[in-house]
Amino acid sequence: MAKAEKKRGSGEILGVLALLFILVGLYVALIQAPPDAYQGEVQRIMYIHIPSIVAAYLCFFIVFLGSCLYLWKRETRDDILAKSAAEVGVLFTALTIIEGSIWGKPTWGVWWTWDARLTLTALLLMIFVGYIMLRSLIEDEERGAVCGAVVGIIGFLDIPLIHMSVYWWRTLHQPPSIFRPDKLPWENIKWPLLWPLIINIVAFVFLSLYLLSLRIRVGETEERIKGEMLGGTA
Amino acid sequence: MGSWGFVLLAYGIVWLALVLYFLSLKNRMRKAGTKLSQLRSAGSPGKHEK
Amino acid sequence: MAFLKQTAWLLWKDLLLELRRRESLLAMFFFGTLLLFIFHFALDVQPDKAADMAPGLLWLALVFCGTLGLMQLFQAERENRCLEALLLSPIDRAAIFLSKVLFNLTLMVLLEIVVFPLFWVLFNLTLWERLPWVFLYGLLGTVGFCVLGTLFSALTLSARGREILLPLLLLPLMIPVILATIRGMEIILRAGDFQESLPWLHLLIGFDVIFLTAGILVFEWVVES
């Protein structure tokens, strides 16, 4: 019981940290940071766009870790970790696509373009929506966990290959335009634009970890309910 | 729609979605918690009888 | 050595079953031909554009047929709980996986041997001398498809709604194979330059090697539970 309390406490700390950084991040992104020289105010979307994708990748890395740990040690705890991280990751991936689309409309003139990163993010979303569907369609708990872990690992291994193929497809077949799909290289970002970005990335990382900790607690409680029900009928 | 419009649209959607997800998690947590305590209070006397 | 022998025996068992029932291969073959006709009606492919569209149409037809084949892949093992019996026998799990991949590959290659030339005839393509290179891409792409497809076919065995879940899980993960095969074929058909298509070829080989290894490693967990 004390362990659960301690866990809950560290979750609360994450929540407070997330809230703090979010408030500062919102202030610096919307008010303090200067508008971009080329893109104007629209550039401010980047202060949530890049943090979202960082949070999404973090979640998918956690899915991979949880999957490996589960296959190795077979502890329900690791499976709950992977399952929860997939759910939070899907949320952040979907948000990344929406933000990219809203940023693209004034920048490129269209809501959607088949640029490498946008396409890659959409594929990432499909893979992990598939993961969640698989989990919900296999009734046997243990088998679902094993199959989910395998998909989590295969999906993660596939990401670099998908990245490579999609990127080549866009660059080998059409010359890069002025609106290069890739964001400004790091060395081109100026400090006044960079540090609000860093604050927002930290904020989103804390936020995603906090949401993850909440989701894990939901999963653990559901697991305990199952345990109680099994104990009750036995 | 001006460029601030796009910025506010993006921030609005993102934070709305995040808050909704947070609330849904809290809701699921609460529902699971009450169910667990119900089960425990209903199940524990049975266990003692054994 | 014993491992290869086991694989060969299992492969022989599957081929014999297929030879007697002729379920998968015939269905896949007719479905593939049907798709070529449907594509032609839908897109009204002109002879001068046929070479540009050929890779996409061909590979899509193959992916759809392959998915159809994947649904059937573990059917024999599912009936009468044969999979349990197979798992009880002293056979290496990796041999089961490899034999299924090879069986699936055999079906797909037989299909390709018929469908590729048929496509050339139906769409009046004249570049017959480039067919072998296109076939090479088809083969490497098919290996990738069979490896990942077999793994996921086994993975979704006990899932509800397996018929829809399998393509839904498989196709996004197959994007590197789909892109590499189609683009590689396209470069060869358009320019006839094999060198230029080499990056895609490397990507395909990389995909095949990575997932064949991963498949052999994880298949044990997929079937045991």
Side-chain angles (χ1 to χ4, degrees), chain C residues 109-121:
Chain C
V109 168
L110 286 176
L111 181 73
E112 281 165 22
I113 288 175
V114 179
V115 168
F116 275 56
L118 190 70
F119 188 91
W120 254 244
V121 172

PDB file of all heavy atoms in Angstrom, chain C residues 109-121:
ATOM      1  N   VAL C 109       5.299 -16.765 -55.662  1.00  0.00           N
ATOM      2  CA  VAL C 109       6.188 -16.772 -56.828  1.00  0.00           C
ATOM      3  C   VAL C 109       5.503 -17.456 -58.009  1.00  0.00           C
ATOM      4  O   VAL C 109       5.555 -16.967 -59.145  1.00  0.00           O
ATOM      5  CB  VAL C 109       7.528 -17.449 -56.490  1.00  0.00           C
ATOM      6  CG1 VAL C 109       8.326 -17.714 -57.756  1.00  0.00           C
ATOM      7  CG2 VAL C 109       8.343 -16.561 -55.562  1.00  0.00           C
ATOM      8  N   LEU C 110       4.795 -18.554 -57.727  1.00  0.00           N
ATOM      9  CA  LEU C 110       4.032 -19.206 -58.798  1.00  0.00           C
ATOM     10  C   LEU C 110       3.016 -18.226 -59.394  1.00  0.00           C
ATOM     11  O   LEU C 110       2.848 -18.145 -60.609  1.00  0.00           O
ATOM     12  CB  LEU C 110       3.302 -20.440 -58.250  1.00  0.00           C
ATOM     13  CG  LEU C 110       4.181 -21.655 -57.962  1.00  0.00           C
ATOM     14  CD1 LEU C 110       3.353 -22.754 -57.329  1.00  0.00           C
ATOM     15  CD2 LEU C 110       4.821 -22.135 -59.254  1.00  0.00           C
ATOM     16  N   LEU C 111       2.383 -17.484 -58.491  1.00  0.00           N
ATOM     17  CA  LEU C 111       1.413 -16.484 -58.920  1.00  0.00           C
ATOM     18  C   LEU C 111       2.074 -15.436 -59.807  1.00  0.00           C
ATOM     19  O   LEU C 111       1.566 -15.063 -60.871  1.00  0.00           O
ATOM     20  CB  LEU C 111       0.807 -15.833 -57.683  1.00  0.00           C
ATOM     21  CG  LEU C 111      -0.252 -14.770 -57.890  1.00  0.00           C
ATOM     22  CD1 LEU C 111      -1.531 -15.438 -58.333  1.00  0.00           C
ATOM     23  CD2 LEU C 111      -0.484 -13.999 -56.607  1.00  0.00           C
ATOM     24  N   GLU C 112       3.268 -14.978 -59.373  1.00  0.00           N
ATOM     25  CA  GLU C 112       3.958 -13.932 -60.130  1.00  0.00           C
ATOM     26  C   GLU C 112       4.382 -14.421 -61.505  1.00  0.00           C
ATOM     27  O   GLU C 112       4.337 -13.673 -62.481  1.00  0.00           O
ATOM     28  CB  GLU C 112       5.179 -13.438 -59.340  1.00  0.00           C
ATOM     29  CG  GLU C 112       4.790 -12.468 -58.246  1.00  0.00           C
ATOM     30  CD  GLU C 112       5.892 -12.247 -57.238  1.00  0.00           C
ATOM     31  OE1 GLU C 112       7.058 -12.497 -57.575  1.00  0.00           O
ATOM     32  OE2 GLU C 112       5.580 -11.842 -56.117  1.00  0.00           O
ATOM     33  N   ILE C 113       4.815 -15.684 -61.560  1.00  0.00           N
ATOM     34  CA  ILE C 113       5.259 -16.223 -62.850  1.00  0.00           C
ATOM     35  C   ILE C 113       4.125 -16.149 -63.871  1.00  0.00           C
ATOM     36  O   ILE C 113       4.351 -15.929 -65.057  1.00  0.00           O
ATOM     37  CB  ILE C 113       5.756 -17.676 -62.665  1.00  0.00           C
ATOM     38  CG1 ILE C 113       7.086 -17.651 -61.916  1.00  0.00           C
ATOM     39  CG2 ILE C 113       5.921 -18.380 -63.999  1.00  0.00           C
ATOM     40  CD1 ILE C 113       7.611 -19.019 -61.574  1.00  0.00           C
ATOM     41  N   VAL C 114       2.895 -16.279 -63.397  1.00  0.00           N
ATOM     42  CA  VAL C 114       1.768 -16.187 -64.319  1.00  0.00           C
ATOM     43  C   VAL C 114       1.329 -14.740 -64.527  1.00  0.00           C
ATOM     44  O   VAL C 114       1.106 -14.290 -65.649  1.00  0.00           O
ATOM     45  CB  VAL C 114       0.584 -17.027 -63.792  1.00  0.00           C
ATOM     46  CG1 VAL C 114      -0.593 -16.915 -64.729  1.00  0.00           C
ATOM     47  CG2 VAL C 114       1.005 -18.463 -63.622  1.00  0.00           C
ATOM     48  N   VAL C 115       1.220 -13.990 -63.390  1.00  0.00           N
ATOM     49  CA  VAL C 115       0.589 -12.671 -63.473  1.00  0.00           C
ATOM     50  C   VAL C 115       1.471 -11.630 -64.168  1.00  0.00           C
ATOM     51  O   VAL C 115       0.972 -10.799 -64.922  1.00  0.00           O
ATOM     52  CB  VAL C 115       0.172 -12.196 -62.061  1.00  0.00           C
ATOM     53  CG1 VAL C 115      -0.209 -10.736 -62.066  1.00  0.00           C
ATOM     54  CG2 VAL C 115      -0.986 -13.029 -61.555  1.00  0.00           C
ATOM     55  N   PHE C 116       2.800 -11.696 -63.966  1.00  0.00           N
ATOM     56  CA  PHE C 116       3.669 -10.680 -64.582  1.00  0.00           C
ATOM     57  C   PHE C 116       3.570 -10.698 -66.109  1.00  0.00           C
ATOM     58  O   PHE C 116       3.266  -9.654 -66.708  1.00  0.00           O
ATOM     59  CB  PHE C 116       5.125 -10.848 -64.118  1.00  0.00           C
ATOM     60  CG  PHE C 116       5.425 -10.156 -62.810  1.00  0.00           C
ATOM     61  CD1 PHE C 116       4.682 -10.435 -61.679  1.00  0.00           C
ATOM     62  CD2 PHE C 116       6.453  -9.226 -62.713  1.00  0.00           C
ATOM     63  CE1 PHE C 116       4.949  -9.812 -60.474  1.00  0.00           C
ATOM     64  CE2 PHE C 116       6.717  -8.592 -61.510  1.00  0.00           C
ATOM     65  CZ  PHE C 116       5.972  -8.884 -60.392  1.00  0.00           C
ATOM     66  N   PRO C 117       3.810 -11.854 -66.754  1.00  0.00           N
ATOM     67  CA  PRO C 117       3.685 -11.868 -68.217  1.00  0.00           C
ATOM     68  C   PRO C 117       2.270 -11.532 -68.681  1.00  0.00           C
ATOM     69  O   PRO C 117       2.085 -10.851 -69.686  1.00  0.00           O
ATOM     70  CB  PRO C 117       4.052 -13.302 -68.595  1.00  0.00           C
ATOM     71  CG  PRO C 117       4.816 -13.820 -67.447  1.00  0.00           C
ATOM     72  CD  PRO C 117       4.257 -13.151 -66.253  1.00  0.00           C
ATOM     73  N   LEU C 118       1.277 -11.990 -67.892  1.00  0.00           N
ATOM     74  CA  LEU C 118      -0.112 -11.695 -68.241  1.00  0.00           C
ATOM     75  C   LEU C 118      -0.346 -10.190 -68.283  1.00  0.00           C
ATOM     76  O   LEU C 118      -1.017  -9.667 -69.175  1.00  0.00           O
ATOM     77  CB  LEU C 118      -1.031 -12.346 -67.207  1.00  0.00           C
ATOM     78  CG  LEU C 118      -2.520 -12.332 -67.557  1.00  0.00           C
ATOM     79  CD1 LEU C 118      -2.782 -13.266 -68.719  1.00  0.00           C
ATOM     80  CD2 LEU C 118      -3.367 -12.738 -66.367  1.00  0.00           C
ATOM     81  N   PHE C 119       0.254  -9.509 -67.315  1.00  0.00           N
ATOM     82  CA  PHE C 119       0.135  -8.054 -67.271  1.00  0.00           C
ATOM     83  C   PHE C 119       0.739  -7.443 -68.529  1.00  0.00           C
ATOM     84  O   PHE C 119       0.169  -6.545 -69.147  1.00  0.00           O
ATOM     85  CB  PHE C 119       0.851  -7.533 -66.024  1.00  0.00           C
ATOM     86  CG  PHE C 119       0.644  -6.070 -65.779  1.00  0.00           C
ATOM     87  CD1 PHE C 119      -0.406  -5.631 -65.002  1.00  0.00           C
ATOM     88  CD2 PHE C 119       1.509  -5.131 -66.316  1.00  0.00           C
ATOM     89  CE1 PHE C 119      -0.601  -4.296 -64.776  1.00  0.00           C
ATOM     90  CE2 PHE C 119       1.316  -3.776 -66.096  1.00  0.00           C
ATOM     91  CZ  PHE C 119       0.257  -3.370 -65.322  1.00  0.00           C
ATOM     92  N   TRP C 120       1.930  -7.946 -68.916  1.00  0.00           N
ATOM     93  CA  TRP C 120       2.607  -7.433 -70.114  1.00  0.00           C
ATOM     94  C   TRP C 120       1.709  -7.593 -71.339  1.00  0.00           C
ATOM     95  O   TRP C 120       1.609  -6.706 -72.168  1.00  0.00           O
ATOM     96  CB  TRP C 120       3.931  -8.189 -70.309  1.00  0.00           C
ATOM     97  CG  TRP C 120       5.137  -7.381 -69.947  1.00  0.00           C
ATOM     98  CD1 TRP C 120       6.118  -6.992 -70.807  1.00  0.00           C
ATOM     99  CD2 TRP C 120       5.500  -6.868 -68.660  1.00  0.00           C
ATOM    100  NE1 TRP C 120       7.062  -6.264 -70.135  1.00  0.00           N
ATOM    101  CE2 TRP C 120       6.725  -6.161 -68.822  1.00  0.00           C
ATOM    102  CE3 TRP C 120       4.916  -6.913 -67.389  1.00  0.00           C
ATOM    103  CZ2 TRP C 120       7.364  -5.522 -67.768  1.00  0.00           C
ATOM    104  CZ3 TRP C 120       5.564  -6.270 -66.342  1.00  0.00           C
ATOM    105  CH2 TRP C 120       6.755  -5.597 -66.535  1.00  0.00           C
ATOM    106  N   VAL C 121       1.041  -8.748 -71.411  1.00  0.00           N
ATOM    107  CA  VAL C 121       0.184  -9.014 -72.564  1.00  0.00           C
ATOM    108  C   VAL C 121      -1.070  -8.144 -72.515  1.00  0.00           C
ATOM    109  O   VAL C 121      -1.416  -7.475 -73.491  1.00  0.00           O
ATOM    110  CB  VAL C 121      -0.215 -10.509 -72.595  1.00  0.00           C
ATOM    111  CG1 VAL C 121      -1.254 -10.756 -73.664  1.00  0.00           C
ATOM    112  CG2 VAL C 121       1.003 -11.366 -72.839  1.00  0.00           C
TER     113      VAL C 121
END
